[in-house]
Amino acid sequence: MKHASAVTATGWLHEPRADAGLHFLREDDTWRYLTYEDLAGRVAAMAEVLRDQGLAGRRLGMVGETSEDFIVQYFATLATGGTCIPIPFYLQGQDRPTHDRLVAAVLQLARPYRIFGTDGSQAFEGWPVASVPSYGRLPAVGQVRITDSDAPAIVQFTSGSTGVPKGVRMSRSRLDAGLTSARDWLGISPADRWATWMPVWLLKALTRPIASQCDTMCMTSMQFVQRPERWLRCFGELGCTITIAAALGYHHAVNTVPPETLTGCRFGGWRVAGVIGEPLRAADLDGFVNAFGQLGFRRRAFCPIYGMTEASRMIAATRPEEEPVAFGGDGGSTQLGPGPVLAEMPHPMAPADRMIGAGRPLTGVLVKIRLPDGAEAPEGALGEVCVGGEALADGYEDDEDFGEWLPTGDVGCLHDGVLFVFGRLVDSFQIRGSLVLAERAETAVQRAAPEASSIVVVPNRAAGAGITVVAESSQPWPTERIDEVRRTVSDLFNKTEVDLLIVAPGGIPRTATGKPRRKECWARYVLARS
């Protein structure tokens, strides 16, 4: 779907809708409704507060709570030419030390001039506060004045799940281009109604429905975890048509909400079920369709999406009404010699284990697959996903701008123009929504296989997602023992797929100090066997 005009992050403030807005779920299961017209008036008032306090054009931190206060602070900062630094909000049940480390990294790297503070809001020791009125104390009058600025629109931080969090600078022009790209690819219009539980401090996810002025039902992540049926009822009862949610959310709904409890729900109008996060298998889609297809949910509503914090737009995505594509390649050939394997037991492949593609690269986005030697991978061969073209943001904080190509650290391949992503290529990786550190995984596997003299665990398998376990042994193992260990390891990691390889002593590449070279191990025993 093509549109005549571009979408901008602040364009909606000039002609805000009075018949649509944001609905925030209260704890009593009712919704607090604020129209876009009311929001725009208060953004205008907050913008004048920032100008009066000398904060216009500054780098300002804002605590990412799902609330109207955060949204007004965000758009007022954009409107006055400033840079938005979203700070993750702590939710009960999260790991507090991990959260605090992430927040400390955000503040130390981004160094906001002030952090917004309202009555009762979270304070941060050692950081100056900009005391501003809360939403209810701002007048809902006037039209906002937009200040042009060359400063970054946002500095969005990576999660830090695979290392130290990095702040990604994104200009206003790149943010706007990403909004327009998503609108065109997914066919977003004001007639759509969104439902979201994604954290609002992920600013691109927050901005998409607001910039298009879609009526939007907003839940916190914790509300979704506790009441996933409320999210489903947004589509089955309240007419929502679109969402973009992490893959683990769809798993959670299937595992916790019996279809028979959704009395009166029909999902025939659910147009876009965007899926982000960890790699998808056919079984992931099948499980949701099997559970809720009887209520009208259509498999073609699934829109797998591949993106990253370092990108200003979705990198690859499946269009609405296109059938998600399952991997059908033979893995290609990489011309790399595999390591000598004494015995192996791959995960038994079934149609449900086939990988689901993210979709085709969006207009203006360049994607290539790079082999460990730097060469470009042939069709269907695994390698590291690299992204270029118009997709990239500007660069990292305190670093140079991104170059022509950015390696993502993700493993994937291109097959018939569709991007398939298999997982991470690092010393920590995701398994079914949980972060796994390679060293801890190896300790657990060693206990399950004490006869192995050494163990290395690397992400991905030659045939798809999961993990590959490489075990050194002076003798081949009986087939029955290999299969027993493989199944035990699978159970250790939430029934994930496991390939188990037995190699001779010295088969695991190591540094001069004896540490395993996991990337080289991956190239030898996963990439070269694909």
Side-chain angles (χ1 to χ4, degrees):
M1 182 184 295
K2 291 294 182 182
H3 301 258
S5 60
V7 181
T8 66
T10 55
W12 68 276
L13 294 166
H14 295 300
E15 295 183 14
R17 293 178 63 182
D19 61 342
L22 305 181
H23 306 250
F24 296 94
L25 183 63
R26 297 188 180 104
E27 291 309 309
D28 65 0
D29 214 33
T30 61
W31 299 89
R32 184 175 69 259
Y33 176 46
L34 306 169
T35 68
Y36 284 118
E37 185 177 61
D38 189 81
L39 282 163
R42 307 206 192 223
V43 169
M46 180 64 79
E48 294 309 310
V49 170
L50 299 187
R51 291 186 174 101
D52 291 344
Q53 294 190 16
L55 300 175
R58 297 285 192 173
R59 296 164 68 92
L60 300 176
M62 52 206 70
V63 180
E65 182 177 8
T66 303
S67 72
E68 52 268 47
D69 282 336
F70 177 83
I71 291 168
V72 166
Q73 293 163 10
Y74 168 46
F75 284 101
T77 301
L78 287 180
T80 55
T83 299
C84 304
I85 314 286
I87 301 170
F89 178 69
Y90 176 74
L91 291 172
Q92 185 177 2
Q94 287 183 301
D95 182 74
R96 189 67 199 230
T98 299
H99 169 83
D100 289 347
R101 285 194 296 272
L102 175 59
V103 169
V106 169
L107 296 177
Q108 289 294 335
L109 289 170
R111 305 198 68 80
Y113 178 72
R114 294 284 190 276
I115 297 175
F116 280 107
T118 58
D119 291 342
S121 64
Q122 184 178 357
F124 298 90
E125 185 177 354
W127 293 94
V129 172
S131 296
V132 297
S134 62
Y135 184 92
R137 295 181 179 275
L138 291 166
V141 294
Q143 188 175 73
V144 67
R145 292 187 289 144
I146 307 296
T147 300
D148 293 333
S149 175
D150 292 329
I154 63 176
V155 176
Q156 182 74 68
F157 275 76
T158 61
S159 66
S161 62
T162 58
V164 177
K166 297 179 179 179
V168 178
R169 293 179 281 108
M170 189 174 302
S171 66
R172 283 159 168 76
S173 61
R174 290 182 185 270
L175 177 61
D176 293 345
L179 294 171
T180 303
S181 176
R183 188 269 315 267
D184 292 346
W185 194 265
L186 297 177
I188 301 168
S189 79
D192 278 309
R193 198 177 206 196
W194 282 63
T196 179
W197 52 265
M198 298 296 287
V200 296
W201 65 273
L202 300 174
L203 292 178
K204 288 182 291 184
L206 167 71
T207 312
R208 286 182 190 125
I210 295 178
S212 292
Q213 296 200 71
C214 298
D215 209 38
T216 302
M217 318 303 290
C218 302
M219 301 173 63
T220 69
S221 301
M222 189 57 64
Q223 285 173 330
F224 169 73
V225 169
Q226 295 171 343
R227 290 180 278 173
E229 76 286 346
R230 200 69 186 90
W231 177 68
L232 290 171
R233 288 187 179 277
C234 289
F235 303 94
E237 293 179 343
L238 302 181
C240 287
T241 61
I242 184 170
T243 191
I244 296 178
L248 59 88
Y250 294 94
H251 295 311
H252 183 56
V254 169
N255 292 332
T256 58
V257 184
E260 58 270 19
T261 64
L262 298 174
T263 306
C265 284
R266 297 298 301 172
F267 296 135
W270 193 341
R271 191 177 68 81
V272 175
V275 191
I276 60 175
E278 61 182 295
L280 285 173
R281 304 158 176 83
D284 299 327
L285 306 188
D286 294 342
F288 198 88
V289 173
N290 292 340
F292 304 113
Q294 59 189 293
L295 301 178
F297 182 84
R298 298 169 300 112
R299 187 184 182 88
R300 285 178 176 267
F302 274 125
C303 295
I305 296 169
Y306 175 65
M308 57 191 301
T309 305
E310 291 87 346
S312 62
R313 62 184 68 188
M314 302 182 299
I315 294 169
T318 302
R319 288 187 185 272
E321 294 301 322
E322 286 186 0
E323 184 76 22
V325 179
F327 185 63
D330 60 5
S333 173
T334 65
Q335 284 76 52
L336 295 178
V341 177
L342 300 179
E344 64 179 288
M345 182 64 68
H347 175 83
M349 288 298 291
D353 296 318
R354 296 174 71 190
M355 300 302 298
I356 296 296
R360 300 181 186 278
L362 273 66
T363 303
V365 178
L366 300 177
V367 174
K368 69 178 180 181
I369 308 300
R370 188 175 64 185
L371 297 174
D373 62 3
E376 188 168 348
E379 168 83 2
L382 290 182
E384 183 175 13
V385 179
C386 296
V387 177
E390 300 174 6
L392 299 179
D394 294 277
Y396 292 121
E397 279 285 271
D398 300 326
D399 203 350
E400 297 180 356
D401 289 351
F402 293 139
E404 182 180 0
W405 290 96
L406 181 69
T408 65
D410 290 325
V411 176
C413 70
L414 285 166
H415 187 74
D416 290 337
V418 175
L419 175 64
F420 292 82
V421 180
F422 290 69
R424 295 291 292 169
L425 180 57
V426 287
D427 288 346
S428 61
F429 39 89
Q430 296 278 340
I431 295 181
R432 301 198 186 280
S434 298
L435 179 67
V436 175
L437 300 179
E439 289 185 355
R440 293 185 182 179
E442 287 156 7
T443 299
V445 174
Q446 186 75 68
R447 294 194 194 103
E451 59 267 59
S453 57
S454 185
I455 294 280
V456 164
V457 177
V458 292
N460 321 125
R461 299 175 301 114
I467 59 175
T468 295
V469 175
V470 183
E472 286 187 347
S473 176
S474 58
Q475 297 293 330
W477 297 2
T479 301
E480 296 78 8
R481 177 55 180 162
I482 299 177
D483 190 46
E484 178 187 10
V485 172
R486 188 197 62 77
R487 287 184 281 107
T488 300
V489 173
S490 178
D491 290 341
L492 287 174
F493 298 107
N494 199 18
K495 301 291 185 181
T496 196
E497 299 92 335
V498 176
D499 285 359
L500 176 59
L501 310 181
I502 311 301
V503 301
I508 295 176
R510 298 183 181 277
T511 67
T513 58
K515 294 182 179 179
R517 296 184 183 271
R518 293 191 179 87
K519 192 167 184 177
E520 184 178 337
C521 196
W522 174 86
R524 181 181 296 182
Y525 294 113
V526 178
L527 178 61
R529 297 170 60 247
S530 66

